[in-house]
Amino acid sequence: MNYELLCNKVISIVRLTGNFIRKEAMQFDLEKIEYKGLNDMVSYVDKTAEQKLVQNLEKLIPDAGFLTEEKTINREGKTYKWIIDPLDGTTNFIHGIPTYAISVALYEDGVPVIGVVYELNRAEMFYAYKGGKAYLNKKEIRVSGNPDLQSSLLATGFPYYQFDKQAQYVQLLTEMMQKSHGVRRIGAAAVDLVYVACGRFDAFFEYNLQQWDFAAGCFIIQQAGGEIFDFSGGNEYFNKREIVATNARLSNEMLSAIKKYF
């Protein structure tokens, strides 16, 4: 498998789908939204974008499986699996807030080999592939080298439908705000993660994510020299759906703070 060549083909597919989303953003009507659950919105844009991605990606690896947010396809694959979020940051998109992205990852035998995140409003294509490094619009990127929380800018996401851990999260958030340059909540985990990969954020933490939110972004961070943990400091983040993403110098301090509350 030529991962670099395959990644370039994925980038072309993602860029084409991004053109569709941009066009729809200019004429989107709030009356066209649907609700999958409490505060969990979707539109025809999400669904159509996912269909476009699936139709083109399945041509690259015909027997690959798919894990997709909008469930427009249900297919298991023996070796390969595409993990897709056609529009991460749907709430931002619906309200006209210009931060949302397409996220596509390819897993081979349960291990990530390609990650692509396209932030549409800045036309920033983040990507990585097995055997390569991490890139933003063809330029290599690296995680920051900040050594401590005191000099770091953090990112997170807020719970919007499962509030059972909200109290302890607020305690954690309070500590992080007091110990850092600040905590940002953009509203698109895929974007948060690639901003860690290129050093804009020094670390990211969030729980109760979906796998399509972070499959590509986590791999890009790892290829950019960063580290990914679950809240206990292990590597079960994919199944636990909780993420601590950081550079190696910050990891101990981040995990120590999180373990007080989770």
Side-chain angles (χ1 to χ4, degrees):
M1 178 71 73
N2 185 327
Y3 299 107
E4 182 178 6
L5 177 61
L6 183 59
C7 185
N8 287 332
K9 291 180 178 179
V10 175
I11 288 170
S12 296
I13 291 168
V14 168
R15 197 183 303 277
L16 186 64
T17 306
N19 291 339
F20 161 75
I21 295 174
R22 277 201 202 89
K23 180 180 177 182
E24 296 305 314
M26 298 174 65
Q27 58 191 13
F28 186 76
D29 186 343
L30 280 171
E31 294 182 359
K32 297 178 180 178
I33 65 173
E34 303 171 25
Y35 285 86
K36 297 183 287 185
L38 178 64
N39 297 325
D40 191 5
M41 293 174 283
V42 66
S43 75
Y44 73 92
V45 179
D46 303 68
K47 294 177 180 178
T48 305
E50 184 170 292
Q51 290 169 344
K52 289 178 178 292
L53 290 167
V54 169
Q55 288 169 4
N56 286 294
L57 291 172
E58 63 183 354
K59 295 175 184 176
L60 301 182
I61 309 176
D63 60 347
F66 285 87
L67 175 62
T68 65
E69 179 172 12
E70 307 310 334
K71 300 176 175 59
T72 60
I73 187 172
N74 183 14
R75 180 192 298 169
E76 292 293 331
K78 289 185 178 180
T79 302
Y80 296 99
K81 177 186 287 187
W82 297 104
I83 304 179
I84 300 172
D85 191 336
L87 183 52
D88 186 50
T90 297
T91 302
N92 284 352
F93 174 84
I94 287 171
H95 289 276
I97 297 170
T99 306
Y100 39 85
I102 298 170
S103 178
V104 176
L106 178 65
Y107 274 55
E108 179 181 8
D109 293 323
V111 177
V113 294
I114 287 175
V116 175
V117 173
Y118 188 30
E119 202 293 303
L120 297 164
N121 295 278
R122 291 170 59 96
E124 292 189 327
M125 187 73 72
F126 298 83
Y127 58 95
Y129 52 85
K130 182 180 178 180
K133 296 182 180 179
Y135 304 90
L136 164 55
N137 292 344
K138 299 183 179 181
K139 294 183 179 180
E140 184 182 342
I141 55 176
R142 296 285 295 176
V143 295
S144 82
N146 276 357
D148 50 44
L149 279 176
Q150 186 177 1
S151 59
S152 296
L153 182 63
L154 311 179
T156 190
F158 301 152
Y160 62 93
Y161 67 95
Q162 285 191 352
F163 302 106
D164 55 309
K165 298 180 180 178
Q166 186 174 17
Q168 63 206 84
Y169 172 80
V170 170
Q171 290 178 300
L172 170 61
L173 186 60
T174 299
E175 178 169 341
M176 292 300 196
M177 287 189 293
Q178 292 173 350
K179 289 186 174 181
S180 70
H181 277 181
V183 181
R184 300 291 180 265
R185 201 274 192 174
I186 287 180
V191 178
D192 290 325
L193 289 165
V194 293
Y195 280 11
V196 173
C198 70
R200 293 174 185 169
F201 290 139
D202 299 291
F204 167 78
F205 61 97
E206 188 171 354
Y207 71 92
N208 199 36
L209 287 165
Q210 299 295 335
Q211 293 162 344
W212 46 75
D213 295 324
F214 62 79
C218 283
F219 178 61
I220 294 170
I221 286 175
Q222 290 169 328
Q223 296 301 95
E227 298 182 335
I228 308 292
F229 303 96
D230 57 43
F231 279 11
S232 65
N235 62 0
E236 294 298 316
Y237 60 89
F238 191 84
N239 294 320
K240 288 185 175 181
R241 299 187 292 116
E242 55 189 35
I243 302 292
V244 182
T246 181
N247 66 49
R249 302 177 75 184
L250 266 179
S251 58
N252 286 338
E253 195 173 1
M254 285 291 298
L255 288 168
S256 293
I258 289 170
K259 287 177 183 178
K260 294 178 186 177
Y261 308 103
F262 286 87

Coordinates of all heavy atoms in Angstrom, one line a residue, residues 2 19 53 67 85 154:
N2 N 0.7 2.1 -1.0 CA 1.4 3.4 -1.0 C 0.5 4.4 -0.3 O -0.4 5.0 -0.8 CB 1.6 3.8 -2.5 CG 2.5 5.1 -2.6 OD1 2.4 6.0 -1.7 ND2 3.2 5.2 -3.6
N19 N -16.0 21.8 -1.2 CA -16.6 22.8 -2.1 C -18.1 22.8 -2.0 O -18.8 23.8 -2.0 CB -16.2 22.5 -3.5 CG -14.7 22.8 -3.7 OD1 -14.1 23.5 -2.9 ND2 -14.1 22.2 -4.8
L53 N -18.6 11.6 0.1 CA -17.3 11.0 0.6 C -17.3 9.5 0.5 O -16.3 8.9 -0.1 CB -17.1 11.4 2.1 CG -16.8 12.8 2.4 CD1 -16.9 13.1 3.9 CD2 -15.4 13.2 1.9
L67 N -17.2 3.5 9.2 CA -17.9 3.9 10.4 C -18.1 5.4 10.1 O -17.2 6.2 10.0 CB -17.0 3.7 11.6 CG -17.5 4.3 12.9 CD1 -18.8 3.7 13.4 CD2 -16.4 4.2 14.0
D85 N -16.4 11.8 9.6 CA -17.3 12.8 10.1 C -17.4 13.8 8.9 O -16.4 14.6 8.7 CB -16.8 13.5 11.3 CG -17.8 14.4 12.0 OD1 -18.7 14.9 11.3 OD2 -17.7 14.7 13.2
L154 N -5.0 26.0 26.1 CA -5.6 24.7 26.0 C -6.9 24.8 25.3 O -7.5 25.9 25.1 CB -5.9 24.2 27.5 CG -4.7 24.3 28.5 CD1 -5.2 23.8 29.8 CD2 -3.6 23.4 28.0

